[in-house]
């Protein structure tokens, strides 16, 4: 080991094998030794596997020793003295000798006895030439020349660095055969050699991604589980870029396709204009520095390896072939471009003045400018205050300095450099620099997807995500920080300003938007460690002290500028001085200090966190001294363990590990954030009593009683001991023990009791902190931490971001706009917002807050658990988690106090339904109908999951569970609606507000017009009893779309409010009276509206479920019409036009389905794979509206004709059904029954499109309808006589007349989007780009048939990919207008289109043009005047 102790590759293997990357502790893995190669070889010899032992000697021992000799040949690049040329050349010769061996290029039949022959054989296995050997020899010759004949213009250090770079290239080439062999033996299922090459190659991946390495190593050395080949290959390919390997190097495979990242691969949602792949990889230096630092425990020379990497770099190549170096970032003179850099220099010159006593006065500023490097080198050398620092503390000190302090300042330097380039002006260099900044901020490990690889990176981006949950500052997905989401938006929009030379705007954005967000992350770090360290004693070895010091130091120069007193307090409490205890004044002092400085630091406190932080209050509000007194609750009572959270943790050392955020490794942050083995003396046990290293427990419970992050998205604790829970005297018996969940009913009861007793504060305490629903650990023991009713709402966004019901509520409260607040708080916390407001405004003994807890928090959480069961069944063949979720839903719905059919017990939703049912005459059978149905459905779900392999890929259990979910949801809505009607009638305004909030947002997902009226009447304004009849009628009109009936609601108290009447079976559809019952088919438009909602909030899985399985439009008792069925129906072949479409889309029978599924599955082949979320939403929704529904409407029309012509009695009788379905699929439910449809034009189908366009194209027939729609409805109505008399030819004629009219709105839309999109900038993320593409594609086959040249012109301009990369509509809208004009006459002949239906000229301009035409200046058959976006355009046709 001593000989190779300073070799980077050896240290990579040493760390990978000796440490568990998920804990930072000794791994206990096989071959966890510096002598790993010897252990493996001797194992094979002892097993008499001599051939493998010989091969292992080559690829393990010789491979590493050859690299060692190559490193020797490099010389000492840190030294200013000349290297020993003789020693260098001898080392090079030895390296070549070890590589080639005696046999040279000869193959041996027995095995691989040299690295050269290993490379030869690996090349043959992949049908390639052995380029590795050729490149190795060429590089060796080049190194020899560099050593013996250095350039006259280069010094010894430059020569040394050139040799080093060449050696690094050779190491990369030597790695390729190992990878090829690994893949080959993996594919051949050769376990013996596979294990050898896994050991030879996999440890190198840890330096690219710790988590991927841990999972791969476990797959091949720890577990015997079957390996998912695609997942394995995916992880390998993710590491190629990091290792300097390309897909071509490895060889292409049909089995495992490989695509190299291109130069514009997205960086967590940001698509760079320039190739910044190398800049991204600076985070690999950071990661590898951390790994080498941790090696100090087993390698005394580890710090020298760290220094080498810090000084010279290894991963991020510059354009000239040299490496970007952390040292360069830390000492760059251009940092002075940052306006406040001088504040840093002055601060550190004064703070570190004792460090610089050996330097002359004129040198002090330069040394102070290198403050970060000074910290690193003094820590590595253990000088002065770092003399007694533990290895863990040095690791954290150096790693955090690199990861945050250096990168923070370098990013600031680059930001102001970009401004300089803009001002020069050098726009290209400005944009390139802007791209590089985002690359440095995010790093390579996070990947391309917007959410990144959660907490796996080494960048500032990752640090911000790491902090967001503690500070209630995460985005809607609960994955990214709001800061990161905001910065992504800011960076994308600001980049466009370079093209406008808007340098002042760029600089202002940096100062007011970017700088504060970067600084906020540092402040979050400082506050985190102020809390974690305040209970530590003197001479502690925890690395948390280092982390607190670094985060504090990163902010102090600006804090001092704002408030010198605050800076003194922070410096005193976060200083690194082991003889004193950290945080001598306590975390409160640090919080107060930052709070007092923030305003003058230009940092909005909301950026740091808008909620109380671990009991220390909200930085935006005054300090709550009770909440933060260590060892005391808010009421002054001392906790059993003296923690700050008011909960006894039960850990042996009485010190709460407050931060249990999941780290890079899946372990918890509270003990070992950087996996340096630092467990704060508590054996990695968090407040939940569960060991951190177990990444699968999913239940790391915080000191607040709420799980921070778990792998299945479930915030609850482990299921307790025992087999089941009996709820309500056997009303429902669960399959698992969920009593702890059911016990939350006692919290609700206590809230009611406390309020009735006049003790509001006690009710608040139970609501906020929980009391009876104690969480259970993995081993079934109680943890002392309690589930809180408040957190069911506060954590809703994290837990329910993919849930349909929750997202419909979000959409309703924001009305689909960018409104993100409800009563000035996040919309997603609407329930908690209402309840806390109710507490603040409550009259004496008014139980409104307790009622709201049931109908808002518990209602939505129960729905979440039901949907969770669906997702878990889809995600895993093991049905256990789905069973648990169903049981949990039952526990939350019924509770632990319920007696069957007894409205005086229970306190939960079951009891709520029973109590409400009494007022609506539904208690005659001992249990209200809604409860009876819900329990029946819950038992049905249990039954579905009880079968062996219930959730296997071959079963339909997931879809059955989704159907059950869709059936339960309306039943749970019934008592909410009943109470809204009840309290409207008795004029209880507070409860009207509550039940309106519980009901009305759901209507946004099925009837937007009715919803808008109800929201204004009941949510945005106080209820007015005088409007009772109007509001009641609007609510009753929504019953059908909510999938409830008038009978479900019933009459209120003996018909004080009579039972309403449901929609008539043959109620008109926009003026057309159907012959058959198509009320369910009409609701297909609700599916499309909800697809839009779910896509808007990136709930792609839920959108996919809705697309594939439906949810609103019932076909049969237990089956829905589904949009995918319409998109893929074989019966579309009845439409003559279908063949035209199929041919146009490269013989893709399901062309629309392909587009939709490619977007939903994020397929690389999708033409929308680089689209923004808004564009992806429009692509899916408009494909549904105008491709799927257009063709399927035609299918029903032609099917009716074919039914008419059929001699089969049953089919002949079905023609009326097909005809009515065509109307339903053309119009939809939201248009209503009156001619002209909805007055607010909230429809979702082709009927609505024609109405929307008629205002823009002067084709309206009256105030609300389009001429095309009027003609279609008239033809549909007239055809009923043909159906009645079986006049099939006349029916067919009407279909041919209807067909061109259906496409009018789509043709008009091509004109519209051509004009609108021509005004958008290059790279725009506007949804109109996707809309234009889809609308054109919807009619492209028709245009292509009529005029191919015109079709090509239009496609070139409307194509999304073209418009995304170039200025949209590159040829200009006039070219499209002309192309469409050229096509019209042919389309008129082939499709029966009438130009007047597309646009009608009525102005003086038309008369003038007609006069010109008559004079022979222009030949036209019709002149159409179109007004688009205020621009008059002329279409001749």
């Amino acid at each position: 080991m001593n000989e190779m102790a300073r070799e980077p590759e050896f240290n990579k293997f040493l760390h990978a094998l000796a440490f568990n990357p998920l804990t930072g502790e000794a791994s206990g893995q096989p071959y966890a030794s510096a002598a790993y190669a010897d252990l493996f070889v001797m194992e094979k010899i002892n097993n008499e596997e001599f051939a493998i032992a010989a091969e292992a000697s080559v690829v393990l021992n010789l491979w590493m020793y050859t690299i060692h000799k190559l490193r020797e040949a490099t010389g000492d690049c840190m030294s200013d003295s000349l290297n020993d040329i003789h020693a260098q050349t001898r080392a090079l010769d030895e390296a070549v000798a070890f590589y080639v061996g005696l046999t040279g290029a000869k193959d041996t039949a027995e095995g691989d006895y040299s690295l050269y022959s290993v490379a030869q054989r690996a090349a043959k296995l992949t049908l390639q030439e052995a380029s590795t050997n050729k490149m190795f020899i060429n590089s060796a010759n080049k190194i020899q020349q560099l050593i013996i004949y250095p350039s006259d213009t280069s010094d010894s250090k430059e020569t040394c660095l050139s040799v080093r770079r060449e050696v690094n290239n050779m190491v990369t080439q030597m790695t390729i055969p190992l990878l090829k062999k690994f893949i080959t033996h993996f594919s051949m299922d050769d376990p013996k050699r596979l294990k050898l090459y896994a050991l030879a190659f996999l440890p190198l991946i840890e330096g690219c991604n710790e988590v991927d390495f841990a999972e791969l190593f476990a797959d091949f050395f720890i577990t015997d589980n079957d390996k998912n080949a695609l997942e394995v290959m995916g992880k390998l390919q993710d590491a190629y870029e990091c290792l300097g390997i390309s897909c071509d190097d490895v060889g292409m495979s049909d089995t495992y396709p490989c695509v190299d990242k291109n130069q514009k691969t997205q960086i967590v949602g940001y698509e760079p204009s320039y190739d910044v792949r190398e800049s991204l990889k600076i985070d690999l230096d950071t990661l590898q520095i951390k790994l080498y630092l941790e090696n100090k425990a087993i390698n005394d020379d580890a710090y020298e390896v760290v220094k080498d990497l810090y000084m010279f770099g290894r991963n991020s190549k510059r354009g000239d072939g040299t490496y970007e170096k952390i040292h360069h970032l830390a000492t760059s003179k251009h940092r002075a471009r940052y306006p406040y850099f001088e504040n840093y220099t002055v601060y550190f010159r004064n703070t570190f003045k004792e460090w610089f006593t050996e330097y002359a006065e004129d040198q002090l500023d330069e040394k102070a400018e290198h403050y970060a490097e000074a910290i690193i080198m003094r820590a590595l050398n253990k000088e002065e205050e770092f003399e007694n620092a533990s290895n863990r503390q040095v690791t954290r000190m150096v790693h955090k300095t690199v990861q945050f302090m250096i990168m923070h300042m370098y990013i600031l330097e680059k930001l102001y450099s970009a401004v300089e380039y803009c001002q020069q002006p050098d726009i290209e260099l400005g944009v390139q620099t802007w791209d590089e900044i985002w690359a440095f901020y995010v790093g390579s490990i996070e990947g391309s997807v917007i959410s990144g690889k959660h907490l796996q990176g080494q960048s500032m981006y990752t640090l911000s995500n790491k902090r967001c949950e503690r500070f209630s500052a995460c985005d809607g997905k609960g994955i990214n920080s709001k800061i990161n989401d905001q910065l992504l938006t800011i960076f994308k929009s600001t980049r466009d300003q370079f093209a406008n030379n808007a340098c002042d705007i760029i600089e202002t954005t940096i100062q007011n938007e970017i700088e504060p967000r970067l600084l906020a992350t540092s402040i979050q770090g400082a506050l985190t460690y102020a809390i974690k360290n305040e209970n530590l004693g003197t001479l502690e070895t925890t690395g948390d002290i280092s982390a607190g010091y670094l985060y504090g130091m990163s902010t102090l120069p600006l804090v001092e500028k704002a408030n010198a007193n605050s800076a003194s307090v922070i410096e005193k409490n976060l200083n690194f001085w082991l003889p004193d205890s950290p945080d001598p004044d306590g975390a409160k002092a640090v919080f107060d200090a930052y709070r007092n400085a923030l305003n003058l630091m230009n940092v909005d406190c909301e950026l740091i966190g808008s909620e109380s932080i671990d009991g220390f209050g909200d930085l935006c509000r005054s300090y709550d001294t009770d909440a933060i007194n260590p060892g005391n609750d808010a009421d002054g009572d001392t906790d059993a363990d003296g923690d700050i959270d008011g909960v006894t943790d039960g850990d042996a050392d009485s010190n709460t590990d407050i931060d249990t955020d999941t780290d890079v490794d899946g372990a918890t942050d509270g003990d070992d954030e950087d996996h340096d083995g630092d467990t704060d003396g508590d054996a990695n046990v968090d407040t939940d009593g569960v060991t951190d290293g177990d990444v699968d427990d999913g239940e790391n419970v915080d000191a607040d009683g709420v799980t921070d992050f778990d792998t299945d998205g479930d915030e609850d604790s482990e299921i307790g001991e025992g087999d089941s829970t009996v709820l309500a005297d056997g009303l429902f018996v669960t399959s698992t023990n969920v009593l702890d969940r059911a016990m939350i009913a006692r919290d609700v009861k206590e809230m009611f009791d406390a309020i009735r007793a006049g003790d509001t504060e006690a009710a608040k305490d139970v609501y906020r902190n929980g009391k009876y629903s104690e969480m259970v650990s993995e081993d079934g023991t109680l943890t002392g931490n309690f589930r809180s009713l408040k957190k069911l709402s506060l954590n809703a966004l994290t837990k329910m971001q993919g849930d349909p019901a929750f997202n419909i509520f979000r959409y309703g409260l924001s009305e689909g706009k960018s409104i993100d607040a409800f009563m000035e708080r996040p919309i997603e916390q609407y329930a908690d917002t209402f309840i806390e407001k109710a507490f603040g405004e409550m009259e004496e003994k008014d139980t409104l807050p307790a009622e709201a807890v049931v109908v808002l928090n518990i209602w939505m959480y129960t729905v979440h658990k039901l949907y969770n069961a669906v997702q878990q069944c889809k995600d895993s063949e093991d049905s256990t988690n789905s069973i648990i979720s169903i049981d949990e839903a039952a526990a939350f719905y019924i509770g632990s106090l319920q007696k069957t059919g007894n409205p005086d017990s229970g306190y939960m939703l079951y009891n709520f339904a029973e109590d409400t049912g009494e007022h609506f005459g539904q208690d005659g059978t001992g249990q209200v109908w809604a409860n009876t149905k819900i329990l029946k459905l819950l038992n049905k779900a249990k039954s579905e999951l009880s079968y062996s392999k219930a959730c296997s890929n071959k079963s339909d259990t997931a879809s059955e569970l989704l159907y059950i979910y869709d059936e339960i949801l309306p039943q749970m809505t019934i008592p909410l609606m009943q109470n809204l009607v009840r309290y409207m009638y008795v004029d209880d305004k507070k409860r009207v507000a509550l039940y309106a909030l519980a009901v009305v947002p759901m209507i946004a997902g099925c009837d937007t017009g009715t919803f808008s009226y109800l929201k204004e009447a009941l949510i945005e304004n106080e209820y007015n009893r005088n409007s009772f009849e109007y509001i009641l009628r609007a609510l009753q009109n929504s019953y059908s779309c909510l999938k409830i009936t008038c009978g479900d609601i019933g009459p209120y108290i003996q018909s004080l409010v009579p039972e309403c009447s449901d929609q008539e079976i043959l109620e008109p559809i926009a003026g057309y009276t159907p012959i058959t019952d198509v009320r369910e088919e009409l609701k297909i438009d609700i599916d499309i509206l909800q697809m839009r909602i779910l896509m808007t909030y990136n709930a792609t899985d839920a959108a996919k479920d809705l697309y594939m399985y439906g949810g609103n439009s019932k076909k049969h008792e237990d089956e829905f019409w589904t949009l995918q069925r319409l998109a893929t129906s074989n019966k579309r072949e009845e439409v003559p036009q279908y063949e035209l479409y199929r041919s146009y889309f490269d013989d893709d029978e399901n062309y629309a389905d392909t587009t939709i599924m490619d977007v939903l599955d994020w397929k690389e082949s999708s033409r929308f794979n680089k689209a923004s979320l808004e564009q992806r939403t429009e692509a899916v929704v408009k494909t549904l509206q105008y491709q799927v529904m257009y063709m399927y409407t035609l299918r029903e029309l032609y099917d009716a004709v074919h039914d008419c012509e059929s001699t089969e009695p049953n089919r002949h009788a079905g023609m009326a059904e097909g005809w009515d379905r065509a109307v339903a699929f053309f119009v939809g439910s939201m248009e209503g029954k009156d001619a002209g449809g909805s007055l607010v034009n909230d429809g979702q189908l082709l009927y609505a499109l024609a109405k929307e366009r008629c205002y823009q194209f002067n084709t309206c027939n009256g105030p609300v309808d389009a001429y095309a729609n009027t003609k279609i409805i008239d033809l549909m109505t007239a055809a009923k006589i043909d159906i009645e008399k079986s006049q099939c030819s006349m029916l067919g004629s009407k279909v041919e007349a209807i067909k061109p009219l259906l496409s009018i709105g789509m043709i008009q839309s091509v004109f519209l989007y051509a004009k609108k999109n021509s005004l958008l900038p290059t790279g725009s993320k506007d949804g109109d780009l996707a809309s234009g593409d889809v609308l054109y594609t919807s009619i492209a086959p028709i245009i292509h048939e009529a005029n191919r040249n015109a079709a090509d012109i239009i496609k070139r301009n409307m194509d999304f990919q073209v418009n995304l990369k170039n200025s949209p509509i590159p040829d200009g809208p006039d070219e499209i207008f002309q192309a469409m004009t050229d096509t019209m006459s042919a389309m008129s002949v082939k499709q029966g289109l009438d130009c007047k239906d597309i646009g009608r000229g009525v102005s003086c301009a038309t008369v003038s043009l007609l006069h010109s035409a008559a004079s022979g200046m222009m030949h036209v058959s019709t002149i159409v005047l179109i007004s688009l976006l205020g621009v008059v355009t002329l279409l001749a046709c």
Side-chain angles (χ1 to χ4, degrees), residues 20-208:
N20 183 340
L22 302 185
T23 64
E25 297 296 318
S27 67
Q29 294 170 349
Y31 321 114
S33 165
Y36 68 93
D38 182 62
L39 288 174
F40 187 90
V41 172
M42 292 307 299
E43 176 187 291
K44 299 306 171 187
I45 291 174
N46 292 335
N47 292 340
E48 297 185 358
E49 299 175 62
F50 300 117
I52 294 179
E55 193 171 343
S57 298
V58 175
V59 299
L60 298 179
N61 305 57
L62 274 180
W63 188 88
M64 188 63 74
Y65 199 73
T66 300
I67 291 174
H68 166 60
K69 284 299 175 181
L70 288 172
R71 297 290 182 200
E72 275 190 6
T74 304
D76 184 359
C77 296
M78 286 191 181
S79 173
D80 291 327
S81 60
L82 294 174
N83 283 299
D84 184 341
I85 294 176
H86 176 73
Q88 286 180 274
T89 54
R90 178 170 179 79
L92 179 62
D93 291 345
E94 289 178 355
V96 174
F98 282 122
Y99 184 85
V100 178
L102 289 174
T103 58
K106 297 178 181 179
D107 289 335
T108 61
E110 292 81 10
D112 298 321
Y113 297 128
S114 71
L115 292 167
Y116 190 100
S117 60
V118 169
Q120 289 281 92
R121 287 177 173 274
K124 286 185 177 181
L125 290 170
T126 53
L127 303 178
Q128 294 175 299
E129 294 183 5
S131 57
T132 291
N133 289 336
K134 183 177 180 181
M135 295 181 72
F136 184 93
I137 299 302
N138 288 343
S139 292
N141 287 325
K142 186 174 180 180
I143 290 172
Q144 188 180 59
Q145 292 296 313
L146 285 168
I147 295 171
I148 300 174
Y149 307 110
S151 169
D152 294 337
T153 60
S154 61
D155 56 24
S156 60
K157 181 169 289 188
E158 186 176 337
T159 298
C160 182
L161 292 175
S162 296
V163 173
R164 174 193 288 263
R165 290 193 293 273
E166 203 61 47
V167 167
N168 287 341
N169 292 336
M170 295 173 79
V171 172
T172 298
Q173 291 301 315
M174 290 174 63
T175 303
I176 293 170
L178 305 184
L179 173 57
K180 288 181 178 180
K181 285 275 203 168
F182 174 80
I183 294 173
T184 298
H185 294 301
F186 178 57
S187 303
M188 296 169 59
D189 195 21
D190 179 357
K192 293 182 179 179
R193 281 184 168 77
L194 176 60
K195 192 171 185 179
L196 164 59
Y197 285 96
L199 182 60
F201 173 75
L202 291 183
L204 295 171
I205 292 179
E206 190 188 28
C208 302

Side-chain angles (χ1 to χ4, degrees), residues 451-469:
S451 58
K453 291 187 176 179
H454 188 49
L455 303 182
Q456 294 183 25
Q458 289 289 315
S459 62
M460 288 184 65
Y461 180 93
T462 307
L463 288 172
S464 181
N465 283 344
K466 184 185 277 290
R467 298 282 163 249
C468 75
E469 186 168 357

